Amino acid sequence: MEISKHCAQVGKQELNYLQAGSGPPVILIHGLLGGHFCWRLNIPALAERHTAFAIDLPGFGESVAPPTLDCSMQTQAARLLAWIEQLGLESVDLVAASWGGAVALLLAGLTPRIRSLVLAAPVNPWSQFGRNRLRFFDGWTGRTLFRLGVPFSRPLHGVALKRLYGDPARIPPGALAGYSKMMMCPGRAENLLNTVHCWQSDLQALREAIERVQVPSLLIWGTRDGAVDIRSSDVLLAKLPVCERAIIAGAGHLSFEETPEEFNRLVVDFLERVSAKSQPA
């Protein structure tokens, strides 16, 4: 299967993406510290029946951005909408993970072009995991330590990656090298700090956006997720009007990478059901 690489300009910002397959468009949105690399085990399965786009939002993946770039979830959602409009995509499905899941929800609250959502452990206002760390790194001491530490952080990347897995033995070959490469991009520390600085205002906007989301949604969570609390999915289930949930036993935060066969099956089945319901009688 051919996977082509592209670079778009959204405003003045670079947005890199992969494209594969043909059929209804599905856009894959990475999490924090991620990029299109995250979806390497999912693109082939989705591209069998869809045109799959795996993006690098500005400031992440291979999309280089200035240190002062606004990397808030709200701004990223607006950029993504501009790119979708640029491509002339009228109806798209979104598959998004973690921080990207929050961006996807914000985007779905902005436009009727979104047909459905698949959200893998999306960041949301009702998960309390990591709140203290976020507050620390948004303070002067935390920001300073982060800036100083990132250039020397490579030995810690493996430890961090293992914590995102339910079973570290399932980390695929090349995963650590891929994530380390993205983390060490020039300006990445400032891009991440800018993202963290907007976190609380983004979560407030997300609360409001969720009230406007009306499309079919699928939540996917691993039972060993230590990054976004699985209990917060109960609130999302109640707030999203057409929503279902799938639990992957033993998986951690990166279920799309840790258990790709099961994840891909869940996504493909859900998109097929969405497509069947959207066909005229």
Side-chain angles (χ1 to χ4, degrees), residues 55-105:
I55 63 171
D56 287 346
L57 284 167
F60 297 92
E62 295 180 6
S63 294
V64 178
T68 56
L69 181 70
D70 181 352
C71 290
S72 68
M73 301 176 201
Q74 296 174 75
T75 300
Q76 297 287 20
R79 290 187 182 115
L80 189 48
L81 176 56
W83 174 71
I84 290 171
E85 292 173 341
Q86 189 180 112
L87 291 184
L89 303 177
E90 295 297 332
S91 179
V92 301
D93 301 301
L94 303 181
V95 178
S98 192
W99 173 83
V103 173
L105 283 163

Side-chain angles (χ1 to χ4, degrees), residues 31 62 147 196 255-256:
E62 295 180 6
R147 290 188 183 102
V196 169
S255 60
F256 52 89

Side-chain angles (χ1 to χ4, degrees), residues 12-13 58-60 63-72 76 79 143 146-147 185-198:
K12 297 181 180 180
Q13 301 307 319
F60 297 92
S63 294
V64 178
T68 56
L69 181 70
D70 181 352
C71 290
S72 68
Q76 297 287 20
R79 290 187 182 115
R143 294 173 73 89
F146 190 76
R147 290 188 183 102
C185 281
R188 189 54 39 87
E190 293 300 326
N191 297 149
L192 289 166
L193 288 172
N194 291 343
T195 303
V196 169
H197 182 65
C198 300

Side-chain angles (χ1 to χ4, degrees), residues 41-62:
L41 303 179
N42 316 107
I43 292 173
L46 292 174
E48 288 181 4
R49 303 183 185 185
H50 297 265
T51 303
F53 298 92
I55 63 171
D56 287 346
L57 284 167
F60 297 92
E62 295 180 6

Side-chain angles (χ1 to χ4, degrees), residues 73-82 84-85 94 102-114 117 205 208-215:
M73 301 176 201
Q74 296 174 75
T75 300
Q76 297 287 20
R79 290 187 182 115
L80 189 48
L81 176 56
I84 290 171
E85 292 173 341
L94 303 181
V103 173
L105 283 163
L106 287 163
L107 176 57
L110 289 175
T111 175
R113 292 175 185 253
I114 307 308
L117 297 167
E208 299 167 4
I210 286 171
E211 300 297 330
R212 300 191 298 272
V213 175
Q214 299 295 317
V215 299

Side-chain angles (χ1 to χ4, degrees), residues 29-40:
I29 309 173
H30 59 81
L32 203 63
L33 301 177
H36 62 61
F37 169 81
C38 302
W39 304 107
R40 65 200 182 282

Side-chain angles (χ1 to χ4, degrees), residues 8 22 72 82 84 97 102-103 123 145 151-152 154 186 197 224 230 233 248 255 260 277:
S22 61
S72 68
I84 290 171
V103 173
V123 164
L145 290 174
F152 309 100
R154 194 178 293 272
H197 182 65
R224 295 184 179 178
I230 192 173
S233 66
I248 300 180
S255 60
K277 291 179 181 179

